[in-house]
Amino acid sequence: MDELEEELEGLKAILMNDVSIERLVNDCEPRVRIDFRLDSCKMTVEFEESSYHSKVPEIEVAVLADELHHLDTSALKQHLIKTAMRELANLYLYLLYQAAQEWVQDNKVAAKSIDTSMASVPVCRYFLEGRCKFNEKCHNLHPSSAGCSNTSTGAKSDQPFPKCQDVPKVGKSDQDDSDATEKEKKSRMRTATDVISRIQWDPELSEDDFVLGYSDRFLGIIEKSFADFFWEDISTVGQDTLAIPKHRIQYFKYKSVIVWDRRVQVDNFFGSRGEGTTIHDLIRKHKELS
């Protein structure tokens, strides 16, 4: 079995219903068309069989869900083309799937942060009372779509302090909601690199107590002891050394408990996502139960 057939069989075994592979036979060179089902998106990769390792494939991306209409598919396409160029000598098709999936997830989070950021700007209560003197320099919102003139335009009006009757004033509860939204926006999940560094250098943690699960191109999720891995520059290791790119890490376990999980965005190692539990909290509970 050649490398192309090997990778196509691997894709079907790992992705199952999330991938569709079609052979295109015509008068020209035989081609392969692969449709990947991503998170609310679809990615199509097409190439001539003979150019599998020599030419960047044709890549198209389509958004399938309305809530993702904001995604810049052209930027995703360029990202995938660069990934294909970098990995062309390897079995790169599953790497394209991973790169696309991670890009979509990252941009969904970024778009949500932008939305919550806009929602967190409070309405200027002094503007509503007709007493704001900062005009366009005001840090709060001067609504212009509620049947009132907007002082931020700088235009003169017969009423020096326009009144807005249709827009409710911002009370304490609204400000509290705004603060909570701002706090949530600033909460960013710590990375796999952060977890690795902490396990290596925290004197209270033992590498032998941790297991990580990583995605293999053909076998799916594989678990290995943290201590089995080489964590320095991956380009310097030999064939007999266990080392993986960090973006393939899906989760970390402390003994049998998952403490960091990329798939569901939970971090109970640092407490950056989830219930705020940290690894030291879990260790204390484990000691109390043993």
Side-chain angles (χ1 to χ4, degrees):
M1 182 184 295
D2 62 20
E3 287 190 339
L4 175 57
E5 295 300 328
E6 180 184 354
E7 180 157 28
L8 294 180
E9 290 300 318
L11 289 176
K12 288 187 284 188
I14 296 172
L15 302 180
M16 301 175 64
N17 294 331
D18 287 336
V19 67
S20 173
I21 301 173
E22 182 181 2
R23 301 279 188 167
L24 306 176
V25 180
N26 49 36
D27 296 336
C28 301
E29 179 74 21
R31 298 175 66 84
V32 178
R33 176 189 174 95
I34 307 172
D35 291 322
F36 294 92
R37 176 81 180 191
L38 305 171
D39 184 6
S40 305
C41 292
K42 175 183 177 183
M43 176 178 68
T44 300
V45 178
E46 187 173 330
F47 55 90
E48 295 180 352
E49 290 189 17
S50 61
S51 66
Y52 172 53
H53 280 313
S54 61
K55 184 179 178 182
V56 173
E58 300 171 13
I59 302 175
E60 297 295 336
V61 180
V63 174
L64 303 178
D66 291 340
E67 65 268 21
L68 298 181
H69 67 278
H70 56 272
L71 290 184
D72 186 355
T73 55
S74 61
L76 172 56
K77 182 177 177 179
Q78 290 301 314
H79 173 66
L80 294 174
I81 289 174
K82 291 179 180 179
T83 301
M85 293 174 64
R86 185 175 64 250
E87 302 289 348
L88 198 58
N90 303 312
L91 303 179
Y92 64 85
L93 296 174
Y94 185 68
L95 294 179
L96 286 180
Y97 169 80
Q98 282 190 314
Q101 194 78 293
E102 291 178 4
W103 192 95
V104 170
Q105 289 295 331
D106 291 345
N107 281 270
K108 282 174 67 177
V109 172
K112 183 177 179 180
S113 297
I114 293 173
D115 292 341
T116 55
S117 174
M118 293 299 294
S120 68
V121 179
V123 176
C124 175
R125 65 187 182 90
Y126 297 105
F127 174 78
L128 299 180
E129 296 171 359
R131 297 190 292 115
C132 182
K133 299 180 181 180
F134 292 102
N135 295 326
E136 70 276 2
K137 295 182 179 180
C138 183
H139 293 294
N140 296 324
L141 182 64
H142 285 196
S144 59
S145 58
C148 64
S149 56
N150 190 348
T151 58
S152 65
T153 61
K156 293 184 178 181
S157 170
D158 295 335
Q159 297 290 335
F161 303 112
K163 299 282 186 177
C164 292
Q165 302 296 332
D166 299 330
V167 181
K169 295 182 179 180
V170 178
K172 186 176 184 303
S173 61
D174 297 315
Q175 185 64 50
D176 291 342
D177 291 341
S178 174
D179 293 342
T181 303
E182 183 69 18
K183 184 178 180 180
E184 180 182 354
K185 180 190 71 172
K186 292 180 179 179
S187 176
R188 179 183 178 187
M189 183 171 171
R190 301 290 288 271
T191 65
T193 302
D194 295 331
V195 178
I196 293 168
S197 179
R198 184 64 173 271
I199 294 173
Q200 288 178 313
W201 304 115
D202 190 328
E204 297 183 19
L205 303 180
S206 170
E207 294 187 4
D208 294 329
D209 289 335
F210 291 90
V211 171
L212 66 86
Y214 66 94
S215 59
D216 181 86
R217 296 175 185 174
F218 305 114
L219 302 178
I221 301 297
I222 296 178
E223 288 191 357
K224 293 285 186 181
S225 171
F226 181 91
D228 291 343
F229 287 87
F230 179 82
W231 294 115
E232 304 305 321
D233 185 357
I234 194 172
S235 64
T236 64
V237 302
Q239 294 182 351
D240 298 329
T241 305
L242 183 57
I244 57 170
K246 294 182 178 64
H247 70 267
R248 291 193 185 178
I249 299 174
Q250 301 301 310
Y251 59 83
F252 290 89
K253 283 183 177 180
Y254 171 72
K255 297 188 182 296
S256 61
V257 179
I258 294 179
V259 295
W260 185 96
D261 197 328
R262 180 198 302 275
R263 302 164 300 179
V264 292
Q265 294 289 291
V266 168
D267 172 19
N268 288 326
F269 191 95
F270 292 99
S272 66
R273 286 285 177 87
E275 300 177 356
T277 304
T278 69
I279 184 60
H280 291 294
D281 296 330
L282 293 172
I283 292 175
R284 281 194 295 270
K285 290 180 181 178
H286 186 271
K287 289 181 178 179
E288 290 172 359
L289 295 174
S290 36

